[in-house]
Amino acid sequence: MISRMFRGDFLFAITLLFLSAIVAALPRSQTDHRQLIARGKYLVERVAMCGDCHTPMNHKGEPVANRWLRGSVIGFKPIHPIPDWADKAPDIAGLPKGWGPAEMERFLETGLNPKGHHADPPMPAYRLSVGDARSVTAYLLSLK
Ligand code: HEC
């Protein structure tokens, strides 16, 4: 009788522990994800300046807010010709068409696209850290 009661208490305690571990983990992962997106936004807007090429500009040279990272014509040319110069930057809000997060992260870490090639200039071949590539990818995905 005593041992049965003890077993009941024990199971109850284990269940409580298990549930509180789940509850503790849930909000943390949401906060982690929000922090990842915030860091990605900072890297895109303040460090890598992706919007300079991937966002169309208005006549004052300011980025058009509702076209943020939606793709743009490149408004400048090199003084000396550079082979394979691209005159358009694609829509990257929500990731380019057909790309998943793994392809985007690899591209940002190595400069290699899903075909195993570098993008044409003036697209920089970034060599971001794994964490920074994850952050930028999470931010771009959040713009879907
Ligand atoms: C100096 C201008 C410039 C900047 C800054 C820039 N891009 Fe680009 N990006 C381009 C151009 C131009 C292309 C098209 C290249 C091509 O056609 O191969 C491109 C292509 C891409 C592609 C598609 C690549 C492919 O091979 O299909 C992705 C993804 C991309 N850029 C992401 C980014 C991200 C993310 C940032 C910031 C971290 C960024 N770009 C910053 C100009 C730029």
Side-chain angles (χ1 to χ4, degrees):
M1 169 88 163
I2 289 173
S3 83
R4 208 182 301 146
M5 264 176 67
F6 175 74
R7 204 179 321 141
D9 283 352
F10 182 70
L11 280 177
F12 183 66
I14 289 285
T15 311
L16 263 188
L17 260 179
F18 185 67
L19 284 178
S20 61
I22 291 178
V23 169
L26 277 180
R28 178 136 39 88
S29 73
Q30 268 174 15
T31 314
D32 284 354
H33 193 64
R34 247 181 269 133
Q35 281 172 352
L36 205 66
I37 291 175
R39 170 138 184 95
K41 181 174 159 68
Y42 160 74
L43 290 169
V44 165
E45 290 182 359
R46 304 274 176 240
V47 182
M49 314 305 289
C50 315
D52 282 6
C53 297
H54 286 268
T55 304
M57 305 286 165
N58 65 20
H59 63 283
K60 289 189 211 151
E62 297 157 345
V64 180
N66 65 0
R67 304 289 307 151
W68 179 241
L69 299 179
R70 298 271 162 183
S72 176
V73 167
I74 298 290
F76 53 90
K77 277 202 157 105
I79 298 174
H80 305 289
I82 292 182
D84 301 321
W85 183 263
D87 54 9
K88 270 187 237 134
D91 181 352
I92 56 170
L95 300 191
K97 230 194 247 154
W99 292 39
E103 282 81 22
M104 189 70 211
E105 286 172 24
R106 176 174 179 251
F107 179 66
L108 292 170
E109 287 164 33
T110 63
L112 297 173
N113 63 22
K115 290 183 186 148
H117 301 144
H118 289 284
D120 289 338
M123 174 62 204
Y126 292 105
R127 298 288 195 280
L128 297 191
S129 69
V130 172
D132 286 350
R134 274 191 64 211
S135 303
V136 169
T137 302
Y139 169 63
L140 293 176
L141 270 171
S142 78
L143 301 177
K144 224 175 208 166

